[in-house]
Amino acid sequence: MGPFDWLPHAPLEPLQLDWLQGVELAVLRLDRIDPLISGNKWFKLTGHLAQAQNASGIISLGGAYSNHLHALAAAGKRFGFPTVGLLRGHPQENPTIHDLKAFGMQLHWLGYGGYRARHAADFWLPWREHYPGFHPVPEGGGGLTGAVGCGVLVEQVRAQLHTLGWDDYDAWWLAAGTGTTLAGVVLAEAGAHPVYGALAVPDDHGVAQNVSALVQAGYELLDASRGGFAKVDPPLLDFIETTQKACGLPLEPLYTGKALLALKQQIEAGRFPPGTRLIFIHTGGLQGNRGFTS
Ligand SMILES: Cc1ncc(COP(=O)(O)O)c(C=O)c1O
């Protein structure tokens, strides 16, 4: 497989919203890197794919709406390598699953108990036998390998600052699910600018531990989960609709919508003085929106 030298470009765009109170905001549009391979997922995959150069294919796992499996399957189709997806739960149809199949990914449903065993020492054994030579990628493309691939986001922002008329910025703001993307940005910043992670999942998901295993300082995690992962409420959906109408930015309710709404609340609470320049990372995930509308 590979090598993969496709390094997509994420546009950096100014955002005008009536709640910014003098804070200047720009969005790094990972949702716009490619029509099919969207979001932080490609960047998290790059290191894993580099490690898989002698592999016959890639095997990974996720839920039935997984943005990670979606990006992996799309990359497999684009670059011509076989992919296998191990899925949480029981067979179901939805737009994400439809795409995974259309991209040629082999799917196996593990049930809920089977999926819970994914961290067990012998979990991969039968799959290695079933798919010899396939390289396993952890859930969500995580770990240090995934994080390091996100470091290029810092370079991409720095290279585009002049388009905003900025010579620098003060901090980053992004959604955190496992904290891998955040850790990659923190590593690449090496303390130069703080990184705020808006948690899309509650405390008991262990994001703080994940992140502290990868980086020691230079970030802050804030709860943005609104009562639980994938919990959606009318004010959140209103906010997403209003934002799209106000500035054309599409958001989804699980990660990017919650993250931007949490930023609004923090600005209203006075966390950032007027003139602060923030980079919001749009981590993609819009493919998952179809689960809410269809
Ligand atoms: C759209 C989207 N944004 C953000 C995240 C969070 O990324 P991370 O797991 O690297 O914190 C994910 C996946 O977990 C995602 O699918």
Side-chain angles (χ1 to χ4, degrees):
M1 289 176 43
F4 304 99
D5 51 10
W6 182 58
L7 181 56
H9 169 75
L12 182 66
E13 299 172 351
L15 269 188
Q16 254 93 45
L17 290 158
D18 62 6
W19 45 263
L20 287 173
Q21 304 187 15
V23 170
E24 293 182 58
L25 185 61
V27 56
L28 187 67
R29 299 283 305 264
L30 306 192
D31 60 314
R32 291 191 48 203
I33 60 172
D34 183 84
L36 285 182
I37 307 174
S38 167
N40 53 341
K41 301 301 168 298
W42 171 258
F43 298 95
K44 292 207 281 186
L45 274 172
T46 49
H48 294 287
L49 294 180
Q51 288 177 353
Q53 276 189 31
N54 298 319
S56 349
I58 302 274
I59 181 164
S60 192
L61 63 187
Y65 290 92
S66 171
N67 293 318
H68 161 67
L69 289 183
H70 196 271
L72 176 62
K77 175 149 174 73
R78 171 81 49 86
F79 300 110
F81 60 85
T83 56
V84 176
L86 308 180
L87 286 145
R88 181 196 298 121
H90 303 293
Q92 60 163 283
E93 287 300 329
N94 69 40
T96 306
I97 299 298
H98 173 89
D99 284 357
L100 298 184
K101 289 180 184 164
F103 295 149
M105 181 175 255
Q106 288 288 327
L107 303 183
H108 298 273
W109 294 88
L110 304 189
Y112 291 97
Y115 196 84
R116 265 194 301 277
R118 67 195 177 281
H119 302 301
D122 56 357
F123 175 82
W124 288 103
L125 273 176
W127 296 109
R128 279 187 198 279
E129 273 172 30
H130 200 85
Y131 292 104
F134 273 57
H135 182 81
V137 170
E139 196 175 28
L144 184 60
T145 307
V148 168
C150 299
V152 295
L153 301 179
V154 176
E155 289 162 35
Q156 295 207 356
V157 160
R158 288 186 183 159
Q160 295 178 76
L161 281 180
H162 68 277
T163 64
L164 305 172
W166 295 8
D167 50 7
D168 201 359
Y169 52 94
D170 294 294
W172 295 79
W173 191 276
L174 76 158
T178 60
T180 309
T181 309
L182 171 131
V185 174
V186 173
L187 279 171
E189 281 285 357
H193 303 97
V195 185
Y196 293 92
L199 287 168
V201 297
D203 262 4
D204 61 0
H205 280 227
V207 181
Q209 291 89 323
N210 282 351
V211 176
S212 63
L214 299 173
V215 289
Q216 272 66 57
Y219 65 95
E220 184 178 331
L221 300 174
L222 305 96
D223 179 43
S225 70
R226 306 183 70 81
F229 178 59
K231 278 225 167 120
V232 170
D233 52 80
L236 172 67
L237 295 176
D238 275 359
F239 172 75
I240 291 173
E241 201 185 321
T242 310
T243 305
Q244 168 119 32
K245 280 195 187 129
C247 67
L249 186 72
L251 299 167
E252 46 65 57
L254 272 47
Y255 297 98
T256 50
K258 284 186 178 176
L260 196 63
L261 179 50
L263 175 60
K264 175 174 184 274
Q265 289 164 345
Q266 290 296 317
I267 287 177
E268 284 165 358
R271 179 183 280 260
F272 299 111
T276 305
R277 287 175 163 168
L278 298 179
I279 308 285
F280 171 62
I281 305 183
H282 191 310
T283 41
L286 298 172
Q287 69 86 19
N289 257 351
R290 299 171 300 175
F292 286 88
T293 51
S294 58

